[in-house]
């Protein structure tokens, strides 16, 4: 057995090199944290699985440095339609060509192509090492010491020690077992058949996702690429789809004459489940993605949730490992992400029941309710805009009290295009990878001390060439300034007419260390904090 003795040589071990694991590694590398990825497969899994990303996730891919490459393989989608058994539109939820994050609100893609983009980026980053054909067989942590990871490859067994381990190893996670996490069942389980197709035939398609709300035979249809389509059917039995049965099922969308160009790339049966683990962390071992939560696919948030996990955790872990921030900072990963993931899973379950629950009588009632609801002014737009809820209040999220920074705390700062040195750029490219202060007014000395202590970039929300979007956003939120975390979530607010951030006593102890915050900065922070 080979033992690597120096834990400082491998700060982070990531178990699993799917999209979540590789994105986590790239985000850590942007902050100078080295990571070793252990993946039992030698190459990218070649068949399609996840197919949808929202604009928030596109922003995460931007932070990971792969947005331009992803844009080449992505196809914007118009939104979601709910259809009855006769394919009549019951409700429609459009998605904008550009959302608040600066990207199409929904994009379709082929997961193997995304994984190749991520792997190519990984190969260009010296802070990351990928070992394929490496199956992790043991994870142990002794007290507060390094985490010991044992893996097996063609050369035998190996032991590595790391300061932290990220379990991105899917629904059958060994990491989850290692920390003693248990599933909580959120009460949805159905067997579906997924069919991925390539065809040059004319397919009836509105360039979005169709959900067929038919209790007898619910289905989902979407266009993924130029000649790529996906159907999902709940069939009620485990039989294979022969050519004739498939022809009947897809007939509402495409006419399959004998010998037509219609290549089935994959036909797979899945059990769609709704589950979340009771714990996401033990010591320095963390669960991300499907290792921590499982959702039905009806709102396209499975992979999105995992990438949100990576974005939330990576900057916090980097700050603890590199800047000796308080260990309690890592507790906020689960306390922020778990309620968010649970809410998204429940939304997916609700959509699933809208498609499949009840008999014909219930379906008729549901059609009436949905038809009436979609006619409520602004409901469809609000449903699209608020798909991802704000983070709950906590040490790193100062949620508003009456009249203070209304609605901004825990939400993302929008990302308009801005002009930087005469060139057009996205806001995050201007802000960099650390904290940021976006302000409508010049900084007071106490606010400047906060910005300096956090190493935050300061951006004045005027003259940016953004058509006044950031300034208007601050005004609507009744704020003179906001403090943005590295993941672009609003952490704290200076209310209109105020002089200081309102929640410094909550977040300062987690982020500050004596080494990287000089005494004069700490004293300024203390003076700026409301008593």
């Amino acid at each position: 057995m080979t033992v690597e003795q120096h834990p400082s040589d491998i700060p982070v071990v990531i178990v699993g090199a799917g999209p979540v694991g590789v994105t986590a590694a790239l985000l850590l590398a942007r902050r100078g944290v080295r990571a070793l990825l252990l993946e039992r497969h030698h190459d990218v899994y070649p068949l399609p699985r996840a197919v949808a990303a929202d604009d928030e996730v596109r922003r995460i891919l931007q932070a990971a440095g792969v947005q331009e490459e992803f844009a080449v393989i992505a196809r914007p989608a118009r939104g979601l339609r709910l259809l009855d058994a006769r394919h009549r539109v019951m409700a429609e939820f459009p998605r904008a060509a550009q959302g608040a994050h600066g990207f199409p609100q929904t994009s379709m893609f082929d997961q193997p192509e995304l994984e190749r983009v991520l792997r190519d980026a990984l190969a260009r980053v010296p802070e990351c090492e990928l070992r394929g054909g490496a199956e992790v067989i043991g994870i142990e942590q002794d007290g507060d010491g390094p985490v010991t990871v044992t893996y097996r490859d063609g050369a035998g067994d190996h032991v590595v020690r790391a300061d932290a381990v990220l379990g991105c190893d899917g629904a059958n996670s060994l990491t989850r077992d290692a920390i003693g996490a248990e599933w909580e069942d959120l009460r949805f389980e159905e067997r579906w058949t997924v069919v991925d197709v390539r065809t040059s035939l004319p397919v009836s398609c509105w360039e979005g996702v169709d959900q067929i709300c038919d209790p007898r035979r619910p289905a989902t249809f979407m266009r993924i690429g130029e000649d790529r389509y996906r159907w999902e059917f709940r069939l009620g039995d485990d039989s294979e789809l022969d050519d004739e049965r498939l022809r009947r099922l897809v007939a509402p969308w495409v006419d399959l004459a004998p010998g037509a160009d219609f290549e089935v790339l994959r036909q797979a049966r899945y059990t769609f489940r709704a589950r979340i683990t009771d714990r996401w962390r033990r010591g320095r071992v963390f669960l991300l993605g499907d290792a921590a939560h499982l959702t039905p696919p009806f709102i396209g948030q499975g992979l999105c949730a995992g990438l949100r996990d990576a974005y939330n955790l990576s900057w916090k872990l980097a700050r603890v490992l590199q800047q000796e921030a308080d260990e309690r900072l890592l507790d906020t990963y689960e306390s922020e992400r778990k309620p968010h993931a649970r809410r998204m899973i429940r939304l997916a379950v609700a959509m699933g029941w809208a498609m499949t629950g009840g008999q014909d009588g219930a379906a008729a009632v549901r059609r009436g309710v949905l038809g009436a609801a979609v006619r409520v002014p602004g409901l469809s737009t609000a449903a699209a805009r608020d798909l991802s809820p704000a983070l709950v209040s906590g040490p790193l999220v100062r949620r508003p009290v009456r009249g203070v920074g209304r609605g901004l705390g825990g939400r993302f700062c929008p990302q308009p295009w801005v002009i930087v040195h005469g060139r057009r750029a996205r806001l995050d490219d201007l802000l960099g990878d650390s904290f940021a202060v976006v302000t409508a007014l010049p900084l007071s000395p106490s606010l400047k001390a906060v910005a300096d202590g956090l190493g935050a970039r300061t951006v004045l929300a005027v003259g940016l060439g953004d058509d006044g979007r950031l300034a208007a956003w601050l005004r609507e939120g009744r704020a003179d300034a906001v403090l943005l975390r590295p993941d672009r979530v609003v952490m704290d607010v200076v209310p209109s007419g105020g002089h200081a951030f309102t929640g410094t006593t909550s977040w300062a102890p987690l982020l500050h260390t004596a080494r990287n915050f000089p005494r004069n900065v700490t004293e300024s922070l203390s003076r700026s904090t409301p008593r």
Side-chain angles (χ1 to χ4, degrees):
M1 179 181 294
T2 302
V3 180
E4 299 181 23
Q5 297 286 354
H6 306 292
S8 61
D9 289 342
I10 309 175
V12 178
V13 166
I14 299 175
V15 184
V20 175
V22 177
T23 300
L26 292 173
L27 291 168
L28 287 168
R30 294 281 288 247
R31 293 171 171 82
V33 178
R34 297 200 300 124
L36 169 67
L37 294 97
L38 300 175
E39 169 57 53
R40 62 191 181 94
H41 298 293
H42 287 278
D43 202 357
V44 168
Y45 185 73
L47 297 178
R49 289 166 290 168
V51 294
D54 59 27
D55 55 332
E56 181 183 331
V57 165
R58 292 277 302 253
R59 193 172 186 177
I60 295 172
L61 294 175
Q62 176 191 354
V66 297
Q67 158 50 29
E68 297 302 324
E69 294 86 346
F70 181 75
V72 174
I73 66 171
R75 184 184 188 91
R78 290 177 58 184
L80 169 69
R81 296 192 308 184
L82 305 183
L83 311 181
D84 67 9
R86 296 171 61 185
H87 286 228
R88 296 175 298 183
V89 176
M90 300 162 60
E92 185 174 309
F93 301 96
R95 302 291 272 167
Q98 179 167 306
H101 297 280
F103 300 101
Q105 284 190 305
T106 299
S107 299
M108 311 305 292
F109 64 92
D110 184 36
Q111 182 170 334
E113 291 184 342
L114 169 61
E115 293 202 42
R116 183 58 60 198
V117 163
L118 291 168
R119 292 279 186 100
D120 289 347
L122 194 73
R124 298 191 295 268
V125 176
E127 291 87 357
C128 302
E129 179 186 355
L130 171 62
R131 297 182 188 175
E135 182 177 6
V136 174
I137 57 177
I139 299 172
E140 297 179 355
Q141 184 173 18
D142 184 13
D144 296 329
V147 184
T148 300
V149 178
T150 305
Y151 71 94
R152 180 173 296 152
D153 62 15
D157 291 356
H158 311 266
V159 174
V160 294
R161 295 187 177 93
D163 294 322
V165 170
L166 309 188
C168 306
D169 45 347
N172 299 316
S173 170
L174 178 142
T175 313
R176 184 176 61 248
D177 295 339
I179 70 170
E182 300 287 343
W183 284 122
E184 176 189 351
D185 190 350
L186 300 182
R187 303 195 177 190
F188 186 94
E189 184 168 317
E190 291 187 348
R191 294 275 288 175
W192 285 62
T193 295
V194 178
V195 183
D196 285 286
V197 166
R198 176 180 287 117
T199 182
S200 60
L201 296 174
V203 178
S204 176
C205 177
W206 83 297
E207 299 296 341
V209 177
D210 283 344
Q211 306 276 25
I212 313 304
C213 300
D214 178 5
R216 185 179 62 87
R217 182 163 292 158
T220 303
F221 166 72
M222 66 202 76
R223 184 174 186 173
I224 300 171
E226 192 64 32
D227 60 353
R228 288 280 319 285
Y229 303 88
R230 170 174 289 183
W231 282 270
E232 299 171 354
F233 302 102
R234 193 189 70 178
L235 299 178
D237 59 58
D238 290 333
S239 60
E240 289 286 338
L241 279 178
D242 58 26
D243 291 345
E244 177 57 25
R245 192 179 187 192
L246 180 59
R247 186 191 67 78
R248 293 197 306 269
L249 288 171
V250 303
W253 294 276
V254 59
D255 181 15
L256 289 188
D261 173 31
F262 195 81
E263 179 188 1
V264 176
L265 301 174
R266 180 187 67 146
Q267 179 186 143
R269 287 194 295 272
Y270 284 94
T271 300
F272 294 161
R273 294 186 172 94
R275 293 179 175 179
I276 195 165
T277 56
D278 60 348
R279 67 166 70 228
W280 291 33
R281 173 196 179 198
R282 173 167 284 173
R284 288 285 187 85
V285 182
F286 304 85
L287 302 180
L288 295 81
D290 285 355
H293 42 75
L294 297 173
T295 182
F298 304 120
I299 58 172
Q301 288 293 305
L303 177 60
C304 294
L307 296 184
R308 288 188 180 98
D309 295 343
Y311 202 25
N312 185 288
L313 177 59
S314 58
W315 73 266
K316 299 171 183 177
L317 183 58
R319 196 165 186 93
V320 170
L321 294 180
Q322 292 193 314
Q323 296 175 276
E324 299 180 6
D326 195 295
E327 189 80 10
R328 293 174 299 163
L329 179 62
L330 301 176
D331 293 335
T332 65
Y333 166 61
E334 179 175 343
S335 66
E336 291 180 351
R337 284 295 305 136
K338 189 174 182 180
H340 189 284
R342 182 187 295 275
R343 181 169 172 180
M344 299 299 282
I345 293 170
R346 291 200 183 282
L347 183 59
V349 168
M351 181 64 73
W353 284 123
M355 293 173 61
T356 68
Q359 303 301 313
D360 287 349
V365 173
R366 183 171 58 249
R367 173 180 169 80
V369 170
L370 286 170
V374 78
R375 289 193 294 271
V376 175
L379 179 62
S380 295
T381 302
R385 183 184 65 243
D386 296 330
L387 183 63
S388 180
L391 297 182
V392 298
S393 295
L396 300 181
V397 173
R398 178 67 172 175
R399 293 298 296 273
V401 296
R402 192 175 303 169
V404 177
R406 183 178 61 188
L408 298 186
R411 295 196 176 277
F412 279 93
C413 173
Q415 181 179 213
W417 287 94
V418 297
I419 304 299
V420 182
H421 303 304
R423 299 183 62 181
R424 194 166 179 255
R426 298 183 190 274
L427 176 65
D428 288 359
D429 296 331
L430 171 63
L431 298 181
D433 294 321
S434 188
F435 289 87
V437 175
V438 178
T439 177
L441 303 169
L443 293 186
S444 66
S446 62
L447 291 181
K448 187 175 186 304
V450 172
D452 291 344
L454 291 171
R457 182 74 177 266
T458 299
V459 173
L460 190 62
V462 293
L464 291 174
D466 66 339
D467 296 325
R469 283 188 60 195
L470 284 178
W473 174 69
L474 289 172
R475 284 195 304 273
E476 291 167 5
R478 298 180 182 177
D480 282 345
V482 294
L483 177 59
L484 303 181
R485 307 176 348 173
D487 57 7
R488 301 300 168 243
V489 170
V490 176
M491 184 167 79
D492 207 344
V493 174
V494 178
S496 295
H499 303 286
F501 292 112
T502 57
T504 318
T505 52
S506 297
W507 52 258
L510 301 187
L511 299 174
H512 299 170
T513 67
R515 188 182 72 173
N516 58 22
F517 280 84
R519 178 177 298 177
N520 65 320
V521 172
T522 305
E523 290 174 350
S524 295
L525 285 167
S526 177
R527 288 195 300 270
S528 70
T529 302
R531 300 294 180 184

